[in-house]
Amino acid sequence: MSTATIAPSQIEELVTQAINEQPVWDMHTHLYPTSFGTPLAGAGGAADPQGLLLWGVDELLTYHYLVAEVYRAVPANKLPYADFWKMSKQEQADHIWRELFLERTPLSEACRGVLTTLERLGLDPSDRDLAGYRSWFAEQDPSDYIDRVMEIANVSRITMTNAVFDENERNRWLADPQVGADPRFAPVLRFDNLLRDWAGAAKLLSEWGYEVYEEQSDASLEGARQFLRDWLDRTQGIYGAVSLPPSFRYGGADDQSSGSVALREVVLPVLAERGLPFAMMIGSQLQVNPSLGDGGDTVGKSDVASVLTLCRDFPNNRFFCTMLARENQHELTVAARKFGNLMVFGCWWFLNNPSLIDELTRMRMELLGPTFIPQHSDARVLDQLIYKWDHSRQLIAKVLADKHADLAASGWVASEDDIRRDAKMLLHSNFENFLAG
Ligand code: HDL
Ligand code: ZN
């Protein structure tokens, strides 16, 4: 550590080093500890076909991003979707490997990510030896492998997405209250249905024993609040989260739509009483092509004015927010200049590509300084942490180095401590401090 000022010529090297050496607390993933089961036993215990921890080369290759991409290479009139989904995981991976990696150059970010991951694990992508990769993964013990991946990716903690309306996940929590106890992971309560489909959610809550009905009576709303409290207690979630469609609107205190009533009367009061932030991920238009499965969702432009109204009307709530459309990014970043209870985060999903990560991070740093969270991995397969953070760290470091070079040109010369402080804010403490309130 050093308070000595640094020469402009040292900036790029020191910034890159600081960003690479700073462990990141990944604030949004779809990853789980082995307690949630895994379909690939490897050298560990029994395989659980419904297990939630996905890892290994076949899961990397059948990531829903690559399923969508392989259907551009070999369209449904050549390979009917039903035939693909009848294939085994390995057969699907073979198809994707052949069509996207051998018959075509793996130019996309999702394809490149598989190669970065293999290479950082010590396997040789230029071997193009899928069978050999498979043998290597089969020798890994899943729980030890979690430690290894976190070490390579320099991830200090993995934040989960614990979707209470997902039957598989919900049953695992009911069966074992300690299922989420692994200290390497942080739980998050995810409850999209409550805001996207109040009627359907009310029916389920009623089946689960809560006095909740489609009519949003005081009793019904209190029942829903109790449901949230129970599941925040059960999961110890560090924030509440939803993904919302492009059509999401919050029109203020007079907005009587069921989603807005649920937000105003159920979600925000419970999270405020618990002192927990609320994460809104806005812009996902679900299942425009259901035949692609998880890959069937698309993006739509969303309404930043609704986010401004929420931040203004609920000063005791803290809001994480990311939007899926590139077109929303500038307006959302300016919104964060207006409200300190709004924390912009991540280059989500279709924005998680080098050209857009660079664009968003540069714009955010120019408008917000170091007071935002530049990235989350959104990893669905454990090994993806390696490439998602490797690629993002390079891009975040480049932007930060350029900004320090601009400052040096204005006569402000940073110390190494300053640079390490920047890296820690961006990759860890902005998230940790916003959680703490
Ligand atoms: O809703 C979400 O959390 C999204 O991230 C979806 O899971 C999406 O399918 C995804 O994996 N994006 O990266
Ligand atoms: Zn996600």
Side-chain angles (χ1 to χ4, degrees), residues 28 30 161 190 281 348 378:
H28 172 65
H30 300 271
T161 297
R190 176 76 176 258
M281 305 168 69
W348 184 28
D378 222 334

Side-chain angles (χ1 to χ4, degrees), residues 77-142:
N77 63 337
K78 298 267 190 321
L79 175 63
Y81 293 112
D83 293 351
F84 177 81
W85 293 116
K86 272 196 286 229
M87 289 179 187
S88 67
K89 177 72 73 176
Q90 186 166 314
E91 288 165 339
Q92 293 171 8
D94 287 338
H95 171 66
I96 290 168
W97 178 253
R98 180 177 60 253
E99 296 301 338
L100 295 185
F101 290 78
L102 302 183
E103 297 295 322
R104 294 164 185 80
T105 303
L107 293 169
S108 76
E109 179 63 4
C111 281
R112 172 192 169 217
V114 174
L115 304 178
T116 299
T117 301
L118 294 173
E119 197 268 336
R120 294 289 309 278
L121 283 167
L123 302 169
D124 185 350
S126 61
D127 283 351
R128 306 190 186 190
D129 175 15
L130 181 51
Y133 305 147
R134 275 192 183 116
S135 307
W136 183 86
F137 281 96
E139 292 159 10
Q140 308 310 309
D141 171 279

Side-chain angles (χ1 to χ4, degrees), residues 32 36 48 50-52 161-176 179 190 193 200-201 203-205 207-208 227 231 234:
Y32 296 85
F36 285 83
D48 171 351
Q50 302 307 314
L52 294 174
T161 297
N162 302 110
V164 62
F165 287 96
D166 175 280
E167 205 57 22
N168 184 355
E169 166 125 29
R170 181 171 166 277
N171 288 335
R172 292 176 189 273
W173 282 99
L174 294 173
D176 172 10
V179 72
R190 176 76 176 258
N193 303 48
K203 187 168 176 298
L204 285 170
L205 266 58
E207 287 168 15
W208 297 341
F227 160 76
W231 277 90
R234 179 170 287 115

